[in-house]
Amino acid sequence: MKCPHCTIGIHESWSGKSFQYYNQPFAFAYRAMHCPECDKWIIQIKGDTETDWTLILPRAASRNPVPPEVPRTIAADYLEACNVLPISPKASAALSRRCLQAMLRAHGYTAKDLAKEVDMLLAETDASKAIPISLRTVIDGIRNFGNFSAHPITDVTSLQIIDVEPEEAEWCLQVLEECFDHFYVRPAQAAKRKAALDAKLAAAGKPLSKG
Ligand SMILES: [Zn+2]
C-alpha cells in the first residue's frame, strides 16, 4: 500500500482491536500502523462492512504536492478542497469550482457561468494555448456534473454549495491538477527553455528567438 502521508509504497503491518456489541453483525474496530518512511502513524476505523476501512489519520490521503509555479491563493483553495474531501465532498467541490473558475478567468476565459467558461477553454483556437489531451479529457467530464458547472458565479469570492457525488468531487481535484500543469507549470518551463536559448544565441552574437 501507499502511505497516505508520504505516498511511498510500504508493507502493511496493522495492529488493532475490535469490539463486539451484543449481536450486531459487525464489530467496531480500529487498526493502526507506523510508516517507516515518514515516521508517522496511520489509523483506520472499520466502516459498514468487513473490508471497508476509513482513514481517520491522516484525514485525507496526500495527493501530489502543489507545483511552486501555482499562485498561493489558487493553491490554498486546492489544498482546502483536498483536506475536506473525506468529510464533505460538497464543500470540496464548492472550493474546486471556485479554484477552477479563478484559474480560467485569470487566463481570459470569462463568461456568464463556469460551464460557458469551460466551453471557451475547450474551444481554444490559439495553437500556443492548445490544451493537452489529458486536461481535455478530465475537464470535459465535469460538464456532465450538472450542478457543478451550470450555476452562475457572479462573484468569484463567493462559495456556493452544490450537490455532488464523492467521485465527482475527487474528479474535480484531478481537473485542478491538470490545470496547474497547463496554466502554470508548462508555460514556466517553456519560458525557462526560451531564456536558456536566448542566452546561448546572445553569447554567439545572434538575434534572439521569437515569441
Ligand atoms: Zn509515510
Side-chain angles (χ1 to χ4, degrees):
M1 66 176 251
K2 268 191 187 175
C3 168
H5 293 283
C6 66
T7 72
I8 294 173
I10 51 173
H11 288 291
E12 290 191 49
S13 63
W14 298 102
S15 42
K17 195 168 180 180
S18 65
F19 307 84
Q20 194 77 35
Y21 181 71
Y22 292 106
N23 54 357
Q24 296 288 313
F26 298 110
F28 168 75
Y30 72 82
R31 63 183 189 179
M33 65 173 277
H34 180 259
C35 172
E37 297 292 338
C38 68
D39 206 28
K40 286 182 178 159
W41 283 93
I42 306 159
I43 302 174
Q44 295 181 333
I45 54 170
K46 201 168 75 173
D48 294 335
T49 66
E50 289 292 339
T51 53
D52 174 26
W53 289 88
T54 302
L55 192 62
I56 57 168
L57 189 78
R59 279 259 170 80
S62 291
R63 301 175 71 89
N64 295 326
V66 181
E69 294 87 355
V70 176
R72 278 177 58 196
T73 50
I74 303 274
D77 269 356
Y78 164 79
L79 290 171
E80 184 94 13
C82 292
N83 289 335
V84 301
L85 179 67
I87 312 159
S88 172
K90 273 191 202 180
S92 179
L95 284 156
S96 288
R97 184 175 135 87
R98 179 170 81 171
C99 188
L100 175 61
Q101 185 155 51
M103 276 193 277
L104 289 173
R105 291 190 168 180
H107 291 86
Y109 305 104
T110 302
K112 179 162 111 328
D113 60 42
L114 185 55
K116 297 230 163 41
E117 289 161 358
V118 167
D119 287 344
M120 285 174 78
L121 175 70
L122 290 169
E124 179 60 70
T125 51
D126 181 341
S128 69
K129 296 178 187 169
I131 71 168
I133 191 84
S134 52
L135 173 57
R136 184 175 291 277
T137 309
V138 289
I139 205 164
D140 194 43
I142 66 167
R143 297 204 287 184
N144 300 321
F145 310 161
N147 287 320
F148 185 81
S149 52
H151 294 277
I153 303 181
T154 47
D155 177 351
V156 280
T157 61
S158 73
L159 271 183
Q160 245 177 341
I161 300 304
I162 42 175
D163 282 319
V164 290
E165 300 298 326
E167 312 78 60
E168 292 176 347
E170 183 153 12
W171 187 274
C172 297
L173 295 177
Q174 281 185 44
V175 169
L176 298 182
E177 288 155 8
E178 289 289 342
C179 283
F180 290 167
D181 200 45
H182 175 62
F183 286 130
Y184 302 105
V185 179
R186 284 178 204 219
Q189 286 169 347
K192 229 184 246 175
R193 281 196 296 270
K194 185 185 179 304
L197 174 64
D198 284 348
K200 272 189 197 166
L201 291 172
K206 289 179 179 167
L208 301 186
S209 64
K210 283 183 188 168

